[in-house]
Amino acid sequence: MLDRQPVLEDERLRLRPLRPDDWDALFAVASDPLIWAQHPAHDRWQEPVFRAFFEDALANAGALVVIDKSSGPNAERIIGSSRFQGLEEADGGSVEIGWTFLARSHWGGTFNHAMKRLMLAHALAHVAEVRFMVGETNTRSSTAMARIGARLTDRREERIMAGGEVIPHLTYVITRESFASGPLAA
């Protein structure tokens, strides 16, 4: 059975379960409007919108905060979050990784790659496939999916965002096999 709130760690990052007392540090990161500029929830930088996102993450018990370990062993510098959601057990199992954001100071590939490598290795030890849902017009996330070796499928899904707006999403997948031979392979 997949533990959706593990502690995952490499030399650069530590991911641990989201806690209620992470609000201030995580909102400090999320309150940057440029993080959300291409995202379907482009208003998530606003406190009430992010509050709903944060409460949903706690309630669904799959969210992880991302900590930059260079801040030192006694200082947790939270730089973003991600989560495991929608665990499906049929056909070898599948889980979605999503709701991911990082501080702009940590954009540029290496931190996102390290976070996704940790999460994918953990998930694919328990399920056959990981899904990623990306807003149809979110070119930044689509580019990131290609860089980590995710394959665009023909599956589409409409998701209702916080303001009630219906946004088409594309589905990307990484399987155990494609992960083992892809750009994030160990």
Side-chain angles (χ1 to χ4, degrees), residues 10 12-13 15 66 79 81-82 97-103 105-120 132 140-149 184:
D10 68 8
R12 182 179 302 222
L13 296 176
L15 283 67
V66 183
I79 61 167
S81 74
S82 191
I97 292 176
W99 294 267
T100 304
F101 69 95
L102 288 173
S105 59
H106 289 73
W107 285 5
T110 58
F111 286 93
N112 185 50
H113 286 188
M115 174 182 52
K116 292 298 189 329
R117 181 180 299 112
L118 287 167
M119 293 180 77
L120 283 161
F132 300 88
R140 182 182 303 128
S141 291
S142 292
T143 300
M145 289 292 101
R147 288 183 178 151
I148 67 167
L184 298 182

Side-chain angles (χ1 to χ4, degrees), residues 34 84 108 164 174:
L34 293 177
F84 293 109
I174 294 179

Side-chain angles (χ1 to χ4, degrees), residues 13-167:
L13 296 176
R14 185 162 66 95
L15 283 67
R16 64 154 173 79
L18 177 70
R19 304 183 306 231
D21 65 338
D22 291 326
W23 165 260
D24 289 333
L26 197 55
F27 183 62
V29 174
S31 63
D32 178 352
L34 293 177
I35 289 174
W36 309 103
Q38 290 188 26
H39 194 276
H42 55 273
D43 59 351
R44 197 170 280 158
W45 60 273
Q46 298 173 12
E47 192 275 338
V49 178
F50 190 75
R51 175 75 64 187
F53 173 85
F54 186 84
E55 295 298 329
D56 181 66
L58 286 171
N60 283 298
L64 305 171
V65 291
V66 183
I67 297 162
D68 180 350
K69 288 174 56 174
S70 71
S71 57
N74 298 322
E76 285 197 348
R77 180 172 174 221
I78 293 175
I79 61 167
S81 74
S82 191
R83 67 171 110 160
F84 293 109
Q85 187 88 8
L87 180 62
E88 298 174 3
E89 307 237 353
D91 299 322
S94 177
V95 70
E96 182 179 346
I97 292 176
W99 294 267
T100 304
F101 69 95
L102 288 173
R104 284 189 302 132
S105 59
H106 289 73
W107 285 5
T110 58
F111 286 93
N112 185 50
H113 286 188
M115 174 182 52
K116 292 298 189 329
R117 181 180 299 112
L118 287 167
M119 293 180 77
L120 283 161
H122 173 73
L124 292 170
H126 304 279
V127 298
E129 176 185 270
V130 171
R131 305 177 315 277
F132 300 88
M133 304 300 294
V134 175
E136 191 172 62
T137 61
N138 189 339
T139 56
R140 182 182 303 128
S141 291
S142 292
T143 300
M145 289 292 101
R147 288 183 178 151
I148 67 167
R151 178 182 55 82
L152 178 62
T153 71
D154 59 358
R155 290 182 276 176
R156 304 288 187 264
E157 183 178 309
E158 291 190 341
R159 291 203 165 166
I160 299 172
M161 303 315 285
E165 186 178 1
V166 176
I167 303 291

